Amino acid sequence: MTKTVTIFGKKYPAYEYNATELRYILSDFFKTQRHFSAKEYYDYVIKHHPEYKSFFHPTERQIEKMIIEKLGRGAMDGANSVIYFDNKFGTKIAADYKYPNNMSDIEYHFYMIKKRGFATISGKINIKDKQSAYLEAWQNMHYPPENDMQILHELYYEILELNPELKLYNFDINNRQRLIQFLYGICYRLPIADIMKFVTGRTEQETKEELNNKIKSLEKYGIQRMDFGWITSDETIKRIEQQMATKVLERATEKIKQNDTQPKKQRKFINIFKQR
């Protein structure tokens, strides 16, 4: 049976846990958008990139196909790496954030795209060819760049209202990169300590070797660096270590209880057998 993910009531093919590819959802996304004529798109492209002047004016449908070809392999995902870790080691690290209208995390990702389109962290699309020029035209005509920070702020305050405990964590919300990192950290259900490590810039001051050294304390539990699909904070590493230590203690306690319920003669036999 083919695995699927459900986004706003519709099933899409899943290529891994809690993820699909943008190409599967873009057709539905385009149906929700305002329409422009081929000439309007062409005029925008020629105004900003006259090198693409030609007699050919692609239709909106053709532009949408260009976008699917360019972005279609990108991930439309929700929480996965931290969930994978929890499932593998039996920990409870993934955060349980509330999203608007009881959305799932992957639905929240789609919700953000509906709000901002394909806006990048820098706010600018790198123009390499005609496809990217028309992608820029589509993006900026549907989502004017000058409105993006306002939309990001609206998304941020919406999340704070649903998760008031997050109001305790402060950073420069006028920094586009940090604000986007925060929102996507929420989407991926990362622990807030890990999100704040990004938005305060602490990851930029930490080397790969330093990260590996911090995770060495977890090796005795069979946890390796490759088990982390995200950058972890000191706080999260300590939480993981505490939870794993508790699991080891619980298993040892359960084993003792099981031994205590065995008949004395049977326990003696087992002890003698272990000594051989």
Side-chain angles (χ1 to χ4, degrees):
M1 183 177 177
T2 304
K3 293 183 178 179
T4 61
V5 294
T6 302
I7 303 176
F8 296 124
K10 184 170 181 178
K11 294 185 182 299
Y12 298 92
Y15 73 89
E16 62 179 29
Y17 174 78
N18 205 24
T20 187
E21 291 182 344
L22 274 169
R23 62 194 174 108
Y24 294 122
I25 70 165
L26 284 178
S27 294
D28 291 329
F29 170 66
F30 289 136
K31 291 175 185 176
T32 67
Q33 301 297 305
R34 180 184 172 189
H35 299 293
F36 293 92
S37 69
K39 186 177 185 306
E40 287 175 303
Y41 285 114
Y42 181 76
D43 287 346
Y44 184 97
V45 169
I46 298 310
K47 178 180 178 181
H48 296 86
H49 306 284
E51 65 272 23
Y52 295 118
K53 186 176 182 179
S54 70
F55 293 106
F56 173 65
H57 294 195
T59 65
E60 186 169 68
R61 181 61 181 150
Q62 289 170 325
I63 293 169
E64 290 171 356
K65 286 183 178 180
M66 289 183 192
I67 294 173
I68 292 173
E69 288 175 6
K70 197 160 193 70
L71 304 180
R73 293 289 179 180
M76 166 55 59
D77 54 359
N80 41 50
S81 56
V82 69
I83 301 295
Y84 173 82
F85 186 94
D86 279 346
N87 290 340
K88 182 174 181 178
F89 296 104
T91 52
K92 293 182 180 179
I93 299 303
D96 190 21
Y97 301 118
K98 292 182 177 65
Y99 305 106
N101 301 315
N102 295 314
M103 296 175 194
S104 66
D105 41 38
I106 192 171
E107 288 173 337
Y108 184 65
H109 189 170
F110 194 16
Y111 173 74
M112 286 196 288
I113 288 180
K114 285 183 175 181
K115 290 281 189 179
R116 302 181 62 239
F118 312 116
T120 62
I121 285 181
S122 67
K124 296 181 180 179
I125 294 172
N126 188 16
I127 307 301
K128 298 180 179 179
D129 50 32
K130 185 184 290 187
Q131 279 186 325
S132 52
Y134 274 97
L135 169 59
E136 178 190 64
W138 189 98
Q139 170 66 25
N140 291 350
M141 289 168 67
H142 287 85
Y143 298 91
E146 60 271 21
N147 298 339
D148 191 51
M149 281 304 296
Q150 179 183 339
I151 294 169
L152 285 169
H153 284 149
E154 289 172 358
L155 289 166
Y156 172 72
Y157 287 116
E158 184 176 45
I159 283 295
L160 289 195
E161 287 305 308
L162 292 167
N163 303 272
E165 69 280 5
L166 297 178
K167 295 178 181 179
L168 299 174
Y169 300 90
N170 299 311
F171 64 97
D172 181 6
I173 65 170
N174 292 313
N175 182 311
R176 180 192 301 272
Q177 179 178 350
R178 303 309 186 197
L179 190 49
I180 292 172
Q181 287 172 337
F182 179 88
L183 290 169
Y184 273 92
I186 297 297
C187 175
Y188 295 141
R189 294 180 58 192
L190 298 181
I192 186 59
D194 298 2
I195 295 173
M196 294 307 296
K197 185 171 184 176
F198 270 100
V199 302
T200 57
R202 282 188 285 161
T203 54
E204 298 166 1
Q205 302 165 7
E206 195 166 31
T207 66
K208 185 177 180 181
E209 183 179 357
E210 287 172 328
L211 284 170
N212 289 338
N213 287 337
K214 289 178 182 178
I215 293 168
K216 280 185 178 179
S217 63
L218 303 176
E219 290 180 356
K220 58 180 173 288
Y221 302 112
I223 300 173
Q224 305 293 325
R225 181 72 187 93
M226 65 185 68
D227 292 313
F228 291 90
W230 77 102
I231 301 298
T232 50
S233 63
D234 295 352
E235 292 90 333
T236 295
I237 291 172
K238 288 177 184 176
R239 282 180 60 205
I240 293 170
E241 188 167 15
Q242 289 168 353
Q243 290 184 26
M244 295 303 293
T246 299
K247 287 172 67 67
V248 169
L249 180 60
E250 287 174 349
R251 284 196 293 266
T253 302
E254 184 61 29
K255 188 175 291 187
I256 292 171
K257 288 181 180 178
Q258 290 176 356
N259 289 338
D260 286 344
T261 59
Q262 295 174 338
K264 289 183 179 180
K265 289 184 179 180
Q266 184 179 357
R267 290 207 306 272
K268 183 176 181 182
F269 172 79
I270 291 173
N271 291 334
I272 292 172
F273 181 79
K274 286 182 177 178
Q275 291 171 6
R276 291 181 180 179

